[in-house]
Amino acid sequence: MRAFIVGRFQPFHKGHLEVIKEILKTNRSLIIGIGSAQYSHTLKDPFTAGERHLMISTSLEREKIFDFYLVPIEDVNSNPLWVAHVESLTPKFNRVYSNNPLVKRLFTEKGYEVNSLELINRSNWSGTRIREKMLRDDSWKADVPDAVRDIIEEIDGVRRIRDLSKTDEE
Ligand code: NAP
């Protein structure tokens, strides 16, 4: 079976890594869609698709995981067309993993088998929490794979998020 998962991965964290390991126990390979690929440099989506690609591929390769395909996927302004858009960009897949009600609904309507896998340790392993910690200068490095920590440091990602939070008002 070739499976499909999509997320914004802002940033890729240890919870995502655990879910991917779990999926690969029962599937031959996994297509990882980098969702909302057109967005970057906002507080909700600070990292570019290329930066997220590097975070995920380096983290998985360091774990000796190689049976994955990474596909950046821009949003489209029509939900009924989104699954066809995903299919046009990815290798064929038979099974979808998501906890997002909209994603589940759209793939189910197109006849896909859809499975849910909860992210674990959500009090720490959450993209929103990690971005908030970066903003507040709390410790976030233990929540992401070492490769992600290294890439965020290399691109000065924490300073990017803090700069994005500033306004030009006094
Ligand atoms: P998301 O916006 O990346 O995540 C939504 C929330 O769900 C986040 O808090 C995320 O946590 C959490 N989450 C992610 N995986 C989870 C899991 N396995 N268990 C529990 N919570 C989980 O949404 P997404 O569902 O992961 O990704 C969907 C992508 O598809 C988005 O980029 C969306 O824009 C795109 N999409 C586009 C269209 C369209 O263009 N019309 C339609 C449908 C979907 P973290 O932040 O910790 O990951």
Side-chain angles (χ1 to χ4, degrees):
M1 280 276 185
R2 195 180 294 127
F4 175 75
I5 188 171
V6 64
R8 290 179 13 260
F9 305 116
Q10 290 282 9
F12 185 72
H13 55 65
K14 286 183 176 173
H16 299 131
L17 180 60
E18 290 309 312
V19 161
I20 287 172
K21 285 181 181 170
E22 197 59 38
I23 293 172
L24 284 171
K25 285 181 186 168
T26 50
N27 293 276
R28 188 163 51 87
S29 60
L30 178 64
I31 302 160
I32 304 167
I34 302 174
S36 304
Q38 77 274 32
Y39 292 123
S40 71
H41 294 79
T42 69
L43 282 178
K44 186 178 167 218
D45 291 290
F47 304 113
T48 67
E51 289 161 352
R52 289 177 272 159
H53 192 296
L54 194 62
M55 288 175 196
I56 301 168
S57 57
T58 313
S59 301
L60 295 182
E61 283 161 13
R62 284 197 194 169
E63 294 280 328
K64 306 273 180 267
I65 297 170
F66 301 106
D67 33 11
F68 65 92
Y69 308 84
L70 273 168
V71 183
I73 300 172
E74 294 192 1
D75 293 338
V76 292
N77 61 5
S78 166
N79 285 331
L81 296 180
W82 184 67
V83 171
H85 171 63
V86 171
E87 289 169 332
S88 77
L89 297 169
T90 60
K92 266 199 179 310
F93 53 90
N94 331 73
R95 199 178 266 165
V96 174
Y97 287 86
S98 179
N99 275 348
N100 178 324
L102 172 62
V103 170
K104 287 165 75 170
R105 184 75 225 155
L106 293 176
F107 276 107
T108 302
E109 285 183 7
K110 296 291 176 198
Y112 282 93
E113 177 193 325
V114 179
N115 298 269
S116 294
L117 269 181
E118 285 293 336
L119 286 179
I120 53 169
N121 190 10
R122 286 300 270 166
S123 53
N124 291 312
W125 296 349
S126 142
T128 305
R129 290 262 161 80
I130 292 168
R131 296 192 303 277
E132 284 169 359
K133 285 182 183 178
M134 289 173 168
L135 208 46
R136 288 197 311 258
D137 205 14
D138 273 358
S139 54
W140 55 272
K141 295 179 185 173
D143 303 330
V144 300
D146 289 352
V148 174
R149 177 202 63 205
D150 294 347
I151 291 162
I152 290 173
E153 287 182 344
E154 188 189 319
I155 64 176
D156 207 7
V158 173
R159 192 178 332 208
R160 179 187 299 174
I161 289 179
R162 293 203 191 129
D163 283 349
L164 292 168
S165 74
K166 291 177 189 163
T167 71
D168 56 3
E169 290 171 18
E170 288 297 314

